[in-house]
Amino acid sequence: MSDLANTPVAALLELASSQLEVAAHTTDAQVQTLANSIAALVTLGAELKAASGTGSAPGALARKIVEEAQSALVAMQFHDQLVQRVAHVRDALTELNEALAGSPAAQVDWATVLAGIRFRYSMEDERMLFDRIIGDTACPDVNEHDSTHDSLRGSVELF
Amino acid sequence: MTRMIMTVDDSTSMRQMVKATLLSAGYGVVEAADGQEALEYARENPVDLVITDVNMPRMDGITLVSELRSLPTYRLTPLLLLTTESSMEKKMEGKKAGATGWLVKPFNPAQLLATLARVL
């Protein structure tokens, strides 16, 4: 391990672990929303069926169904983000492996390796986590960090 | 006449989400899995609006926007980027390429439809 002293290898492994933890935590919350929405859709569908038998107007139920379906649709999109996060962790570990395979750790151009890993990120909270761990190896509060950029999600900007 | 919208994303599930939202509002939808496929289709079959992801294999969304803008048919067509990418530099790249707007995933269906209504 002495060969790895004074290199960012430990921080990079900690970063990979934290990125995966963010991915898992985010997915848990969204899968729960998805499960709740699907459960609500089943219930509303049954209520709609019952209401149609009595001839009462199903408008309110239909609106609720649309709302639940939209909520499920938003939650479902986090699968796409999960896939991206995991792919970025995989790429970072591959780069780390290749860097260490080519030359002794002390001779690796770490600045280039780190820049390459950060460049691959597409989400702002991935970059923030990278900056916090690689810039400061203190253990981050993953849950707090994940909510930092919630305001950017779903934003629209017309040019 | 039904407005035709092209959704471009390498994620099948994302395309399905966008497609379901658009169909619910009465739009016609055509799908492409990357920029290259989208460009090849759009050259032969003009669409009224394009919603594209940024990071995709073969051709990314910003290059697609730039390529479409260079075609006379798409000089004024709304071209929207829908992506997890929220960095200012990327956004400026998209604007420079000729994008009409930038939407950050996950999208809200009602908000997406309101945006389309504004730009169409």
Side-chain angles (χ1 to χ4, degrees):
Chain A
M1 190 68 189
S2 59
D3 186 42
L4 300 180
N6 302 316
T7 74
V9 171
L12 278 170
L13 292 175
E14 185 188 347
L15 174 66
S17 166
S18 295
Q19 297 281 22
L20 290 174
E21 196 174 338
V22 168
H25 176 76
T26 305
T27 303
D28 277 351
Q30 298 310 319
V31 167
Q32 189 58 54
T33 301
L34 197 54
N36 291 343
S37 295
I38 290 169
L41 284 171
V42 171
T43 304
L44 289 165
E47 288 178 20
L48 187 62
K49 192 176 175 186
S52 65
T54 63
S56 58
L61 284 173
R63 272 195 299 279
K64 281 185 188 171
I65 287 173
V66 170
E67 283 171 15
E68 289 294 343
Q70 290 189 341
S71 173
L73 196 147
V74 173
M76 188 66 199
Q77 293 173 62
F78 279 81
H79 177 258
D80 183 53
Q81 294 186 22
L82 171 68
V83 170
Q84 286 188 41
R85 280 181 192 278
V86 171
H88 294 157
V89 171
R90 178 202 62 206
D91 293 344
L93 292 175
T94 300
E95 288 208 25
L96 179 59
N97 185 38
E98 286 171 357
L100 290 172
S103 55
Q107 290 174 24
V108 170
D109 179 1
W110 288 109
T112 302
V113 172
L114 294 175
I117 289 170
R118 194 181 188 282
F119 180 75
R120 288 173 188 269
Y121 292 153
S122 61
M123 288 173 266
E124 194 60 24
D125 49 6
E126 286 179 302
R127 294 188 194 98
M128 295 273 293
L129 197 53
F130 179 96
D131 293 344
R132 281 173 71 170
I133 292 178
I134 300 301
D136 175 1
T137 55
C139 188
D141 181 333
V142 171
N143 295 343
E144 178 190 84
H145 182 267
D146 187 50
S147 64
T148 306
H149 280 269
D150 276 355
S151 60
L152 290 171
R153 292 178 178 148
S155 66
V156 176
E157 185 176 339
L158 294 178
F159 300 133
Chain B
M1 201 172 98
T2 305
R3 303 253 203 182
M4 191 56 70
I5 298 177
M6 177 185 274
T7 171
V8 190
D9 203 305
D10 56 333
S11 160
T12 308
S13 63
M14 275 308 302
R15 291 203 308 274
Q16 282 180 321
M17 303 294 143
V18 174
K19 185 179 179 180
T21 301
L22 299 177
L23 290 176
S24 74
Y27 294 109
V29 182
V30 58
E31 299 177 52
D34 59 54
Q36 188 63 45
E37 186 183 328
L39 184 61
E40 284 166 12
Y41 180 90
R43 275 192 180 126
E44 304 297 324
N45 310 275
V47 296
D48 297 299
L49 185 145
V50 176
I51 301 171
T52 179
D53 186 19
V54 169
N55 299 305
M56 294 180 291
R58 298 212 298 165
M59 182 187 287
D60 66 75
I62 291 177
T63 305
L64 172 64
V65 166
S66 180
E67 291 285 337
L68 287 174
R69 277 285 178 252
S70 70
L71 303 173
T73 315
Y74 290 94
R75 203 166 55 86
L76 300 173
T77 304
L79 306 175
L80 299 172
L81 289 156
L82 174 62
T83 173
T84 53
E85 180 65 70
S86 54
S87 78
M88 190 53 74
E89 304 107 79
K90 278 280 181 187
K91 218 182 272 188
M92 286 305 105
E93 269 185 54
K95 186 177 179 180
K96 198 174 165 191
T100 309
W102 191 278
L103 293 80
V104 180
K105 293 175 185 174
F107 73 89
N108 174 294
Q111 195 176 31
L112 178 64
L113 294 176
T115 304
L116 298 193
R118 280 183 66 186
V119 300
L120 275 171

